[in-house]
Amino acid sequence: MKKIVFLFLLCALGAYGEKKPDSKWLDQKFSMFIHWGIYSELGGVWEGKPITQGYSEQIQSQAGIFGDWYAAVADRFYPVCWNADSIVTLARRAGMKSIVFTSKHHDGFCMYHSRYTDYNIVDATPFKRDVMKELAEACRKQGMRFGVYFSLIDWHFPQAYPISSHNADPLTPEHYIYNLKQVEEILTGYGDISEIWFDMGSLTSEQSRGLYHLVDSLQPSCMISGRLGNDCSDFSVLGDNEYPDDKIGVPWQTAASFFDETWGYRSWQKRGEVAEKRDEKLRSLIKVVSRGGNYLLNIGPKGDGSVVPFEQEVLEKMGSWLGKYGEGVYGVRANPFEYLYPWQDITVKGNRIYIFADKSVSPVNIRLDGLRGQILSASYVGGGPVTVRQEKGEWQLYGQPCWQEDSPLGVICLEMEDGWKVEPVNSRVRGKKWTLDNATPLYAYSCIDYYTGFRSTVAYTWGFQTSKKQVKPVLYYTDNERGRKIRMLVDGVEREVVLGDRNLQGNSVYLKKGTVKWGRVYTKPSGSVFGNLPAGIDRIPGNPEEAGWKKLTGFQYGKINELGMRQRKSLFLYTEIESDRVQRISVELGSGNGILVLLNGREITAHLSEKGKLYNKESVVLPLQKGKNQLVIKLYNRFEKKICFSIKPEEEYKVYKQEMGTFPLEPGKWHRCEIRPLDVLSKCSAMRLNNIELEF
């Protein structure tokens, strides 16, 4: 106990630091998730009735089961079919490289022999075996990496918060110490842990940092998931079964279930056809890997410990496909092109480019804009050659489709000559002035807690063309960016700078009177999760009320407005800005715990604020187009009983100028520039540099 308390105090005082990502974790790409506990014994049924609400592993909460009744399920939990070696063998046959096992889910029941509670599989069940230790040993024996899932909430621990509808409760001091002790025993008693998958809860920054540093001190190579909260993590975790269409600039993972409705075993689940499910999960795997992530696919064993035959068959068929076509899946880099086709995914391994194309696509539709270098050969994996040639400087594939019948995707391998590269296409800058409109954002997934997870912008990149051997960038910014520390990277050369000082004189930009007209403000509720954006929210019809928007009565521009609101709720604001010209204007926005701003469908900024700050102000520069512009603002309330907000158009704003020095350029036609902040909590935190411009 003394050791834990001392470590807790040390971690609470120390600064949060990042570590270098584990290369083996980055390369594994495909892993098995296992949700298994005493909830599996129930199979989604209570008192003879299927519980259709929520996930089946949360049946205690969803069915409203008394704690002592639920705990009594352990008395009959005797998984006679459990075999750790067969689970690992199945994962290997499926082509998986690691297993992540639920050490403890929200119900608080430990699937390992915990010293700190007898509510565990050894002490509370007639089975009396430490199944997590058996699985960890089986993984080591068969060369499989082993990780653990650990719920940060606990419905059984007496000093924890009781069951709630949202699973994002704070941790009491007693519960936090309890979690520290259990995490320590897992990391010191079960061998090497490749990753620890924290989930749920709403921790303070000190609690998240404490758990992070505990794990890092005991097993430095163990990767820590983003759901620890407060951006204390080694990799981002997207939402359940979420697949991005953006460039993600940090290590990340998607956790997926066989069925969106549940993770734990559900006896009455409609499972469909094996072939369709195999194709669905293979497409998901390729989508994740081509975007640079790891795919964590879950199984939910039955209460007797056996794998559902449907899930086993799907995994085995996925493994057969990977054995034949999977050379472009493991140890690869993400798609290097700046564009993503809806019918195509791309990975890279050394001098090989792998194209995963929908079978409805003919090679004649595959054009690789920006690919520079010589293609030495092109062929279908498991098939014959593909014809390639250059047209107007761009590589084009030709020939009749030769897709394999046993594959939902056609796989083409291009063998490139040394020195090949991909030049920018979408973010090419041809003028002197660079704005965020012609930048390529790099994203992460910021997570303060589960309900505040959102896509965070962590860097901006531009591609530019010049015949010069060096450049001298000039950075323009506003008061919002003053004092910020950033890193600029041009063709691999780094330079760090603090933007401005107190004595810096800026140039005023004035709004010409009569050129901008602000419209009425409308509102619409927006659920509980900060980062969720419903389809169509970026384009509002001519009459907003036809799309469910309501006029916000009593709203005044330039005034602080208040609305009563429950915690973990959000709302949208919408207004129309009419401009008689293309121009940049400034608006002061006031918000509570979180704000996300869209202008004409493009994200301007998105970030969260710390607890205790009921009202926060910031100036945001809006690049208006001529005519009507649609401004959508999402406001989030995490802590308070009301939400405060304001919209104040500004007649002027200051622009500051900072020269960045001379950067040498690598030989070549196209070059790259990147800007990242250096003063954020972690690599997943929103950069909040949305008003900057560049000039050469």
Side-chain angles (χ1 to χ4, degrees):
M1 181 65 182
K2 290 182 180 178
K3 177 182 177 183
I4 285 288
V5 172
F6 172 74
L7 182 58
F8 163 68
L9 293 173
L10 178 66
C11 295
L13 294 173
Y16 167 64
E18 299 173 9
K19 66 186 180 213
K20 185 177 181 181
D22 178 56
S23 60
K24 292 181 180 179
W25 187 91
L26 294 173
D27 289 342
Q28 65 193 23
K29 303 305 178 187
F30 188 28
S31 302
M32 176 184 283
F33 211 177
I34 301 177
H35 275 67
W36 188 45
I38 58 173
Y39 47 79
S40 307
E41 181 72 21
L42 300 175
V45 176
W46 182 249
E47 295 184 334
K49 297 179 180 179
I51 305 302
T52 59
Q53 179 180 351
Y55 296 151
S56 289
E57 68 276 10
Q58 300 185 39
I59 191 171
Q60 180 184 4
S61 171
Q62 305 299 347
I65 305 172
F66 294 122
D68 54 340
W69 291 7
Y70 183 80
V73 176
D75 296 340
R76 66 177 192 264
F77 188 60
Y78 195 86
V80 293
C81 297
W82 166 256
N83 187 302
D85 288 313
S86 66
I87 294 288
V88 179
T89 299
L90 173 61
R92 290 184 63 192
R93 288 205 304 269
M96 294 163 158
K97 303 301 181 184
S98 77
I99 293 176
V100 177
F101 182 74
T102 45
S103 64
K104 182 180 75 169
H105 210 267
H106 309 336
D107 59 5
F109 186 82
C110 298
M111 295 296 285
Y112 71 99
H113 194 195
S114 175
R115 300 190 302 273
Y116 301 104
T117 178
D118 58 6
Y119 196 50
N120 67 72
I121 192 168
V122 176
D123 296 322
T125 78
F127 196 58
K128 298 196 179 302
R129 284 163 49 186
D130 189 334
V131 295
M132 192 167 88
K133 184 173 285 291
E134 292 175 7
L135 185 59
E137 292 172 352
C139 283
R140 282 191 290 275
K141 185 167 61 177
Q142 296 192 45
M144 180 74 63
R145 307 189 83 214
F146 178 70
V148 295
Y149 168 104
F150 185 87
S151 173
L152 291 164
I153 61 172
D154 190 317
W155 298 334
H156 185 79
F157 185 65
Q159 285 78 44
Y161 276 72
I163 296 175
S164 66
S165 63
H166 50 76
N167 295 338
D169 295 300
L171 298 189
T172 64
E174 297 86 355
H175 186 191
Y176 176 55
I177 294 296
Y178 178 65
N179 280 348
L180 282 171
K181 292 188 292 187
Q182 288 198 316
V183 169
E184 182 195 37
E185 70 179 350
I186 290 171
L187 291 171
T188 56
Y190 291 84
D192 291 339
I193 305 297
S194 63
E195 67 185 82
I196 185 163
W197 218 94
F198 291 111
D199 196 21
M200 291 302 180
S202 182
L203 283 64
T204 66
S205 296
E206 291 77 17
Q207 289 172 339
S208 293
R209 288 199 297 269
L211 276 163
Y212 181 93
H213 285 292
L214 172 63
V215 175
D216 195 45
S217 67
L218 295 173
Q219 293 206 29
S221 63
C222 178
M223 296 285 283
I224 301 169
S225 78
R227 292 196 188 172
L228 175 57
N230 294 296
D231 283 343
C232 292
S233 65
D234 298 321
F235 63 93
S236 285
V237 177
L238 273 65
D240 297 350
N241 295 291
E242 182 178 353
Y243 305 97
D245 288 320
D246 308 299
K247 290 280 188 179
I248 298 183
V250 299
W252 65 276
Q253 182 189 79
T254 280
S257 55
F258 259 79
F259 311 97
D260 290 351
E261 302 89 343
T262 189
W263 297 73
Y265 171 62
R266 178 172 284 182
S267 60
W268 45 272
Q269 177 71 44
K270 293 182 179 180
R271 294 181 168 84
E273 297 295 326
V274 168
E276 291 180 3
K277 185 60 68 172
R278 181 208 71 155
D279 290 356
E280 172 196 325
K281 296 307 176 187
L282 280 174
R283 291 176 186 275
S284 298
L285 167 65
I286 298 305
K287 187 170 187 177
V288 169
V289 171
S290 70
R291 287 149 176 76
N294 282 359
Y295 189 53
L296 183 61
L297 179 59
N298 179 74
I299 64 170
K302 298 180 180 180
D304 64 7
S306 63
V307 178
V308 177
F310 177 87
E311 296 178 3
Q312 178 168 333
E313 190 174 353
V314 170
L315 290 181
E316 289 174 340
K317 290 187 177 299
M318 290 181 73
S320 296
W321 186 90
L322 287 164
K324 190 173 182 179
Y325 305 104
E327 62 183 76
V329 172
Y330 303 106
V332 296
R333 292 189 291 113
N335 177 4
F337 295 85
E338 290 185 331
Y339 50 87
L340 299 171
Y341 287 127
W343 46 263
Q344 170 185 300
D345 287 303
I346 296 173
T347 64
V348 173
K349 184 188 292 184
N351 282 338
R352 291 185 175 184
I353 299 175
Y354 293 92
I355 299 170
F356 299 86
D358 190 275
K359 292 176 72 172
S360 65
V361 175
S362 170
V364 73
N365 298 116
I366 299 177
R367 178 185 170 95
L368 301 173
D369 292 334
L371 178 60
R372 301 292 177 258
Q374 186 64 36
I375 298 178
L376 301 178
S377 66
S379 61
Y380 297 97
V381 174
V386 176
T387 301
V388 296
R389 65 171 176 258
Q390 280 186 305
E391 291 187 356
K392 297 181 180 180
E394 304 296 348
W395 285 103
Q396 178 79 50
L397 277 62
Y398 285 94
Q400 294 298 316
C402 188
W403 310 134
Q404 303 298 312
E405 293 183 2
D406 62 345
S407 176
L409 298 166
V411 186
I412 297 173
C413 176
L414 306 181
E415 187 78 38
M416 304 296 299
E417 190 175 52
D418 286 344
W420 69 276
K421 63 180 179 179
V422 175
E423 291 182 344
V425 175
N426 294 334
S427 62
R428 293 179 175 180
V429 183
R430 292 179 171 82
K432 281 189 173 183
K433 204 81 167 186
W434 303 5
T435 67
L436 301 188
D437 289 326
N438 50 34
T440 297
L442 286 178
Y443 298 108
Y445 197 83
S446 178
C447 183
I448 306 304
D449 60 32
Y450 181 81
Y451 288 91
T452 57
F454 70 102
R455 187 189 71 174
S456 54
T457 303
V458 297
Y460 295 114
T461 65
W462 294 265
F464 64 100
Q465 185 179 25
T466 181
S467 59
K468 297 180 179 179
K469 295 183 178 180
Q470 61 184 29
V471 290
K472 295 181 179 180
V474 178
L475 189 65
Y476 296 90
Y477 56 95
T478 69
D479 283 313
N480 263 23
E481 292 77 36
R482 285 186 67 176
R484 296 291 306 278
K485 186 177 182 181
I486 68 165
R487 182 190 70 182
M488 179 178 284
L489 185 70
V490 178
D491 278 4
V493 177
E494 295 185 15
R495 192 155 294 146
E496 297 179 6
V497 66
V498 176
L499 298 179
D501 56 42
R502 294 181 181 178
N503 299 318
L504 191 65
Q505 299 297 314
N507 294 321
S508 293
V509 177
Y510 295 96
L511 173 65
K512 189 172 182 180
K513 290 184 178 180
T515 62
V516 173
K517 180 181 178 181
W518 290 78
R520 294 205 60 162
V521 176
Y522 297 81
T523 185
K524 176 188 284 190
S526 177
S528 300
V529 181
F530 173 60
N532 280 3
L533 293 176
I537 197 67
D538 56 340
R539 291 294 174 186
I540 313 301
N543 183 359
E545 293 177 283
E546 293 179 358
W549 294 84
K550 295 182 179 180
K551 293 178 182 177
L552 185 58
T553 57
F555 175 85
Q556 290 182 291
Y557 282 103
K559 303 292 184 180
I560 298 178
N561 301 267
E562 295 185 5
L563 289 175
M565 182 176 288
R566 295 176 62 189
Q567 293 181 354
R568 290 171 299 280
K569 295 295 181 181
S570 54
L571 62 83
F572 283 112
L573 302 177
Y574 166 73
T575 191
E576 197 172 80
I577 310 169
E578 190 168 355
S579 176
D580 68 0
R581 66 195 66 191
V582 175
Q583 61 179 321
R584 291 166 64 86
I585 69 168
S586 180
V587 58
E588 181 188 271
L589 298 177
S591 63
N593 302 146
I595 185 170
L596 187 153
V597 181
L598 299 172
L599 179 69
N600 298 324
R602 183 174 78 81
E603 182 180 301
I604 301 298
T605 189
H607 59 84
L608 297 161
S609 301
E610 296 178 4
K611 186 175 182 179
K613 295 185 177 181
L614 177 62
Y615 179 69
N616 307 273
K617 294 189 300 183
E618 64 182 309
S619 292
V620 176
V621 175
L622 301 178
L624 299 183
Q625 60 190 21
K626 184 178 180 180
K628 294 180 179 180
N629 297 263
Q630 295 188 339
L631 180 67
V632 176
I633 301 172
K634 184 171 186 177
L635 301 169
Y636 181 72
N637 180 47
R638 184 184 179 202
F639 302 109
E640 314 300 338
K641 294 182 180 180
K642 63 181 179 180
I643 193 165
C644 300
F645 58 95
S646 62
I647 303 175
K648 180 183 178 182
E650 297 184 308
E651 295 184 357
E652 71 169 298
Y653 66 98
K654 293 278 190 180
V655 174
Y656 304 94
K657 174 181 176 181
Q658 187 144 343
E659 296 181 354
M660 300 297 296
T662 301
F663 286 84
L665 297 178
E666 294 179 351
K669 185 177 179 182
W670 285 95
H671 309 274
R672 292 183 186 274
C673 175
E674 176 183 289
I675 289 180
R676 284 182 183 265
L678 294 174
D679 52 5
V680 289
L681 176 65
S682 85
K683 57 182 175 288
C684 299
S685 302
M687 64 189 301
R688 299 184 65 179
L689 293 170
N690 43 281
N691 296 335
I692 60 173
E693 292 183 286
L694 278 172
E695 187 176 61
F696 278 81

